[in-house]
Amino acid sequence: MEALFWCCLTFGALMAIVTLVFGDHLGGASDGLFGWLSIDVHHLFQPVVLSGGVTVFGGAGLLLRRYSGWPASGVYAVSLAFAAAVGVGMYFLYVKPMESSENSTGYSIVELAGKRAEVLTPIPSKGYGEVLVRVGAGNTSHIAASFDGEEVPSGTPVVVVEVKDGTLYVSRMD
């Protein structure tokens, strides 16, 4: 019995170290591993949650075996309950908030339709200029043409009406 708890404690601690170093890769692998589940429970099987649960199971089992007079079945049950509680707690207090805070800077140019922009380089009535568009947490500049066929001076706030052939067609904001 103690050998099982020592193995879980050691394996959990080693798994925590490996998760610290290779966490992103292991998280993606666990998504694919549990993708067959039709419910959204597979997120509970994140490596950090598993390593925490296994470690707590081993540590709680060792402490309960040594300092309580409970029979083996009671020690297993309480250790498993502690491990489940810590795993669920880690998921809801650490993993879930971190998943919500992830931010991507990737975007598609077609997503810019409807966005506000500012003209950097004046746009002639029948030519091209440049606009600055705020995307996510940053700014990006793109080639632009006038949607209405009128000249737009620099510094003018505009809205992207259409995206065609890599060019943003803009119109003045009224």
Side-chain angles (χ1 to χ4, degrees):
M1 176 187 253
E2 281 194 30
L4 172 69
F5 291 134
W6 274 112
C7 287
C8 287
L9 181 66
T10 305
F11 177 74
L14 290 174
M15 192 173 162
I17 292 169
V18 169
T19 301
L20 179 67
V21 177
F22 301 107
D24 289 337
H25 303 295
L26 292 174
S30 71
D31 285 346
L33 182 65
F34 296 106
W36 57 272
L37 288 173
S38 61
I39 54 177
D40 199 26
V41 74
H42 68 280
H43 294 294
L44 287 173
F45 296 109
Q46 293 291 325
V48 69
V49 174
L50 289 175
S51 66
V54 170
T55 306
V56 168
F57 176 76
L62 285 173
L63 291 173
L64 289 171
R65 182 72 177 142
R66 183 164 294 168
Y67 297 113
S68 75
W70 295 349
S73 60
V75 171
Y76 283 127
V78 173
S79 297
L80 192 61
F82 277 141
V86 168
V88 169
M90 286 178 68
Y91 175 73
F92 285 111
L93 296 175
Y94 178 71
V95 174
K96 188 83 167 155
M98 287 298 154
E99 285 177 349
S100 301
S101 70
E102 290 181 358
N103 209 351
S104 174
T105 58
Y107 69 95
S108 172
I109 193 168
V110 295
E111 295 173 3
L112 298 179
K115 295 266 188 195
R116 293 180 182 191
E118 181 182 339
V119 177
L120 293 177
T121 305
I123 303 171
S125 60
K126 296 205 185 266
Y128 299 96
E130 184 179 18
V131 294
L132 182 70
V133 184
R134 181 169 177 84
V135 179
N139 296 321
T140 181
S141 59
H142 289 278
I143 295 173
S146 175
F147 181 77
D148 304 319
E150 61 183 39
E151 187 175 316
V152 184
S154 63
T156 305
V158 292
V159 64
V160 179
V161 177
E162 181 181 28
V163 179
K164 186 169 35 172
D165 298 329
T167 302
L168 304 182
Y169 288 88
V170 299
S171 184
R172 290 181 193 234
M173 300 258 316
D174 291 326

